């Protein structure tokens, strides 16, 4: 059977390339700067990203989500009643606007008392130069298809030592940072180990996904900052 042709719901140029929302049958797709960013066929790993951190933290009150996408990670965080505040930082300003306008049900109604959407580069926010200021109990990063498949070349720095050190510094003592990837990411894991301090824990969880008849292995790379460590 022929796949449904895509129906473009919105598209807009940004300084970081065009962002497009389109519907193919019941499936919503997000395209960023010409690259497929995600769709709604299987969003289990976006949810697992949130769960991986929330299950490792006893009081995850403040959470930073890097990359709004189609809102599945943010919604999974908001489903946890222990979370008091979620800052969702998204580089593509039109996507934030479409979410505020409720352009599609998947993105509608996210912002509210417990959730703020911010149009910015998450790298800027993680360094403490942007707003909102940290620290956070949980930081979730899903801004690329993984460190080996970037949506924007500028995101490479996020996975380098300086970016990973900023991620660690943005965590409150006891905080948990998790990075999503659509492939195993040994270099990222090594990078997290290189910025970890004594008492921190670093680990990778493999996630098996079945898509279009293929078995794929995605990964979550976790840095759990030791409680009571400064700096
Ligand atoms: C794969 S999607 C995120 C999916 C999301 N986890 C979900 O559940 O729907 C990646 C998102 O990150 C955004 N993004 C890319 N680079 C970014 C950056 N440096 N800072 C903030 N957002 C960024 C993209 O525009 C896109 O919306």
């Amino acid at each position: 059977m022929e796949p449904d042709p895509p129906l473009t719901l919105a598209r807009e140029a940004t300084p970081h390339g065009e962002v497009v929302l389109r519907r193919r049958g019941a499936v919503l797709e997000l395209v960023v700067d010409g690259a497929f960013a995600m769709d709604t066929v299987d969003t289990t790993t976006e949810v697992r990203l949130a769960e991986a951190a929330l299950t490792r933290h006893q009081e995850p009150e403040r959470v930073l989500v890097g990359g709004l996408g189609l809102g599945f990670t943010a919604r999974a965080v908001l489903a946890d009643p222990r979370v008091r505040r979620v800052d969702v930082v998204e580089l593509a300003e039109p996507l934030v606007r479409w979410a505020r306008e409720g352009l599609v049900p998947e993105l509608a109604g996210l912002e509210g008392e417990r959730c703020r959407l911010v149009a910015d580069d998450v790298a800027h926010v993680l360094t403490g130069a942007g707003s909102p200021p940290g620290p956070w109990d949980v930081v979730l990063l899903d801004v690329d298809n993984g460190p080996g498949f970037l949506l924007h070349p500028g995101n490479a720095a996020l996975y380098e030592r300086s970016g990973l050190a900023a991620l660690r510094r943005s965590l409150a003592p006891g905080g948990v940072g998790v990075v999503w990837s659509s492939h195993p990411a040994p270099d990222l894991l090594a990078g997290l180990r290189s910025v970890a301090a004594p008492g921190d824990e670093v680990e990778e969880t493999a996630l098996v996904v079945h898509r279009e008849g293929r078995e794929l292995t995605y990964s979550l790379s976790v840095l759990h900052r030791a409680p009571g460590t400064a700096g």
Side-chain angles (χ1 to χ4, degrees), residues 10-194:
R11 69 190 316 153
E12 197 165 316
T14 80
H16 307 281
E18 190 180 53
V19 54
V20 184
L21 266 186
R22 59 189 193 200
R23 185 84 67 191
R24 196 185 290 274
V27 174
L28 184 64
E29 298 178 341
L30 173 65
V31 178
V32 175
D33 197 17
F36 172 82
M38 73 174 292
D39 65 20
T40 54
V41 169
D42 180 349
T43 54
T44 51
T45 64
E46 284 80 3
V47 173
R48 290 281 296 275
L49 167 62
E51 291 172 351
L54 295 169
T55 55
R56 284 173 169 84
H57 202 292
Q58 289 190 346
E59 294 173 274
E61 293 190 0
R62 282 201 69 194
V63 178
L64 172 69
V65 177
L68 169 62
L70 299 177
F72 286 85
T73 303
R75 244 182 246 288
V77 173
L78 285 165
D80 188 324
R82 298 172 302 164
V83 175
R84 297 169 68 108
R85 175 67 178 235
V86 187
D87 298 312
V88 183
V89 180
E90 167 58 47
L91 188 62
E93 185 277 332
L95 196 54
V96 169
R97 188 162 12 95
W98 298 334
R100 289 193 175 127
E101 291 167 354
L103 181 75
V104 290
E106 289 85 344
L107 284 169
L110 267 176
E111 204 165 37
E113 217 170 275
R114 291 168 66 228
C115 180
R116 170 166 44 170
L117 304 182
V118 179
D120 200 351
D121 187 334
V122 73
H124 187 230
V125 173
L126 284 174
T127 59
S131 176
W136 291 271
D137 300 311
V138 164
V139 174
L140 304 174
L141 278 191
D142 178 9
V143 294
D144 292 297
N145 289 323
F149 183 178
L150 304 179
L151 288 180
H152 302 295
N155 282 350
L158 277 170
Y159 310 103
E160 290 164 5
R161 198 184 151 80
S162 59
L164 298 176
L167 167 64
R168 184 185 179 277
R169 273 196 310 273
S170 75
L171 292 169
V176 184
V178 188
V179 185
W180 184 98
S181 171
S182 65
H183 48 83
D187 291 348
L188 169 59
L189 202 63
L192 287 173
R193 290 205 169 105
S194 77

